[in-house]
């Protein structure tokens, strides 16, 4: 069995569902169920003996140690993290707590368990750490995309805390020989994305007739990867990645935020036109920029293609279409995640942002 941490969040949910459908090996899912974790995402696995859920913290070394031993875990895939840059600006402590101290606790539990395994299981064991391209900092418009050799220059409390966790993972390999692999992926989008991140927020706000808040001039560039492609990359790295190596994962799909928002609006215009016949793009509202906002991320994903034969299956056109359709088909899910805590966050993040 494998241990997946953070498997009730956006990418973790997609990974667990894909893993059980395509690999079929049992998954032990450890998730703290913060605002971002939602067991409803995994409802389709109810009664399936291949999925076992435990609510708990990755930093709880005793709990993790017990779970590893009781379930004879052969690999850990670590998704659990605080993941939203804007939240890290308003409250960085939780990011240090989970992403740095929590990852440390998890690594300690894994090191103790792995160290006591018999030789064959010890050499087959894997710890896959899921990280982000944001650890590399911001690129100028013409600069080449991030390779695995790019220096770490994290700029937000989120990316700094992820960078710290990457360094710990690296050190546990270098010092203790822990069999680790790390992936650094670009911005994901797709089903089950919590609607406080750019793409789902725009879909949800557009349909609700609310403003579509674009930070600054909207010309910040991200590389976007459909979440199913991130899951297939992780499966491939887990299967064939070289120990101690890092792999950049990306969609070869750099776009400025404004273009993303306009694409979402155009798809909604086609699939769920506004009653007044106008475009959803009329709802775009420029608001005060994010402090320290990274201007551009771009991923050079040639290493994982060359060494492991992985390439994304979706283009942005196919992926964004599927995503918009998923949100149109899952209005109930959207309504249920818009809890009191969600509304509180909207007022924290947007209440004091002026219109630009
Ligand atoms: P998410 O915020 O949607 O989900 C995170 C999950 O982790 C939630 O279910 C939450 O309850 C759980 N969690 C938080 N703290 C925990 C703790 N202390 N112990 C156990 N569980 C805890 O995040 P996501 O977008 O699914 O991202 C998953 C991972 O992928 C993160 O490590 C993130 O840094 C990385 N990543 C995300 C993206 C992206 O675009 N979303 C891109 C690259 C890398
Ligand atoms: P986000 O989804 O928060 O991901 P990240 O900051 O990790 O890249 O944001 C993606 C981009 O969209 C980022 O440049 C910030 C911008 N953005 C907006 O312009 N408006 C918004 O309301 C949000 C949430 C993000």
């Amino acid at each position: 069995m494998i241990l997946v941490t953070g498997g009730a969040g956006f990418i973790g949910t997609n990974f667990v569902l894909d893993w059980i459908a395509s690999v079929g090996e049992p998954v032990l899912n450890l998730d703290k169920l913060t605002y971002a974790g939602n067991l409803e995402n995994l409802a389709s696995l109810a009664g399936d003996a291949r999925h076992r859920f435990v609510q708990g913290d990755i930093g709880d070394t005793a709990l993790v140690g017990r779970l590893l031993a009781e379930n004879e875990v052969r690999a850990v895939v670590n998704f659990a993290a605080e993941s939203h840059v804007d939240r890290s600006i308003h409250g960085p402590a939780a990011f240090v707590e989970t992403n740095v101290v929590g990852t440390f606790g998890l690594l300690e539990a894994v090191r103790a368990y792995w160290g006591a395994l018999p030789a064959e299981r010890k050499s087959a064991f894997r710890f896959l750490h899921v990280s982000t391209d944001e650890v590399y900092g911001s690129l100028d418009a013409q600069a080449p995309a991030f390779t695995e050799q790019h220096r770490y220059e994290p700029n937000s409390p989120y990316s700094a805390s992820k960078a710290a966790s990457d360094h710990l993972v690296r050190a546990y390999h270098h010092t203790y020989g822990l069999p680790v692999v790390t992936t650094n992926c670009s911005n994901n989008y797709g089903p089950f994305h919590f609607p406080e991140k750019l793409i789902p927020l725009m879909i949800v706000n557009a349909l609700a007739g609310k403003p579509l808040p674009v930070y600054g001039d909207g010309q910040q560039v991200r590389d976007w990867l459909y979440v199913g492609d991130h899951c297939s990359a992780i499966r491939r790295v887990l299967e064939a990645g070289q120990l101690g190596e890092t792999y950049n994962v990306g969609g070869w799909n750099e776009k400025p935020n404004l273009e993303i928002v306009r694409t979402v609006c155009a798809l909604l215009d086609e699939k769920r036109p506004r009653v007044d016949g106008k475009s959803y793009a009329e709802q775009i509202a420029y608001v005060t920029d994010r402090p320290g906002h990274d201007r551009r991320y771009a991923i050079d994903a040639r290493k994982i293609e060359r060494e492991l034969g992985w390439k994304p299956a979706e283009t942005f056109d196919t992926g964004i279409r599927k995503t918009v359709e998923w949100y149109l088909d899952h209005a109930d899910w959207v309504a249920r995640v818009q809890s009191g805590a969600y509304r509180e966050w909207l007022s924290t993040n947007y209440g004091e942002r002026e219109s630009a």
Side-chain angles (χ1 to χ4, degrees):
M1 141 174 304
I2 63 166
L3 171 64
V4 170
T5 71
F10 162 47
I11 307 174
T13 289
N14 281 281
F15 181 83
V16 169
L17 294 175
D18 281 5
W19 179 271
I20 288 186
S22 63
V23 181
E25 185 182 2
V27 172
L28 177 63
N29 185 349
L30 173 67
D31 195 297
K32 190 176 170 182
L33 296 181
T34 68
Y35 76 91
N38 182 359
L39 268 186
E40 187 191 333
N41 299 353
L42 299 156
S44 63
L45 295 176
D48 190 325
R50 294 171 300 176
H51 179 245
R52 182 178 158 215
F53 182 81
V54 175
Q55 183 171 9
D57 195 313
I58 54 165
D60 184 342
T61 306
L63 169 69
V64 177
R66 207 170 59 242
L67 291 173
L68 290 167
E70 280 173 8
N71 296 282
E72 299 190 350
V73 167
R74 71 158 185 97
V76 175
V77 182
N78 182 31
F79 291 99
E82 289 292 337
S83 71
H84 190 174
V85 174
D86 293 316
R87 282 188 186 256
S88 83
I89 294 168
H90 287 279
F95 288 71
V96 174
E97 200 49 53
T98 281
N99 301 0
V100 187
V101 183
T103 304
F104 166 69
L106 175 66
L107 283 166
E108 279 293 272
V110 171
R111 177 165 78 93
Y113 167 73
W114 167 79
L117 286 176
E120 209 174 303
R121 286 182 55 208
K122 194 171 178 184
S123 66
F125 188 84
R126 293 290 178 273
F127 181 94
L128 190 149
H129 180 61
V130 180
S131 192
T132 163
D133 59 358
E134 304 195 22
V135 297
Y136 298 126
S138 185
L139 288 169
D140 292 337
Q142 302 308 323
F146 300 128
T147 66
E148 290 78 1
Q149 276 70 49
H150 199 281
R151 65 184 272 210
Y152 270 38
E153 288 179 308
N155 290 320
S156 71
Y158 163 65
S159 54
S161 66
K162 288 297 290 186
S165 68
D166 294 8
H167 290 323
L168 281 171
V169 169
R170 178 191 154 85
Y172 271 61
H173 174 69
H174 192 79
T175 305
Y176 305 114
L178 197 71
V180 310
V181 275
T182 295
T183 53
N184 292 90
C185 187
S186 57
N187 285 55
N188 287 210
Y189 66 98
F192 301 107
H193 206 180
F194 196 66
E196 63 179 34
K197 301 280 178 84
L198 180 74
I199 290 179
L201 181 86
M202 295 299 156
I203 300 171
V204 167
N205 276 16
L207 294 171
K210 292 186 184 165
L212 308 180
V214 171
Y215 297 166
D217 62 2
Q219 293 308 313
Q220 304 83 4
V221 172
R222 300 289 183 264
D223 171 70
W224 293 92
L225 180 72
Y226 187 68
V227 64
D229 280 326
H230 189 188
C231 294
S232 70
I234 291 170
R235 287 199 302 273
R236 185 68 193 132
V237 173
L238 189 60
E239 180 179 62
Q242 292 297 303
L243 299 188
E245 290 291 312
T246 67
Y247 296 90
N248 282 356
V249 183
W252 300 105
N253 177 55
E254 278 184 64
K255 291 198 188 298
N257 293 338
L258 193 57
E259 191 180 325
I260 297 287
V261 176
R262 289 195 179 282
T263 303
V264 166
C265 290
L267 281 168
L268 290 173
D269 289 341
E270 175 194 317
K271 292 175 185 298
R272 185 70 59 84
R274 267 174 44 158
V275 282
D276 63 4
K278 293 185 178 160
S279 170
Y280 287 100
E282 303 249 334
Q283 289 164 232
I284 291 174
Y286 293 91
V287 299
T288 310
D289 208 351
R290 171 188 281 173
H293 199 168
D294 283 339
R295 197 68 185 163
R296 174 175 167 241
Y297 304 138
I299 277 279
D300 181 334
R302 280 179 296 180
K303 176 179 173 184
I304 188 172
E305 179 171 354
R306 190 177 59 243
E307 295 186 8
L308 304 182
W310 175 88
K311 270 199 303 205
E314 300 287 343
T315 64
F316 188 66
D317 283 354
T318 58
I320 194 70
R321 229 165 230 287
K322 283 189 187 176
T323 303
V324 168
E325 280 162 8
W326 189 87
Y327 280 86
L328 288 172
D329 292 344
H330 291 81
D332 290 357
W333 181 90
V334 170
R336 280 195 290 273
V337 300
Q338 290 176 317
S339 63
Y342 176 76
R343 288 194 296 274
E344 222 168 88
W345 163 251
L346 293 185
S347 114
T348 305
N349 193 40
Y350 298 99
E352 292 181 2
R353 238 175 240 276
E354 310 222 325
S355 300

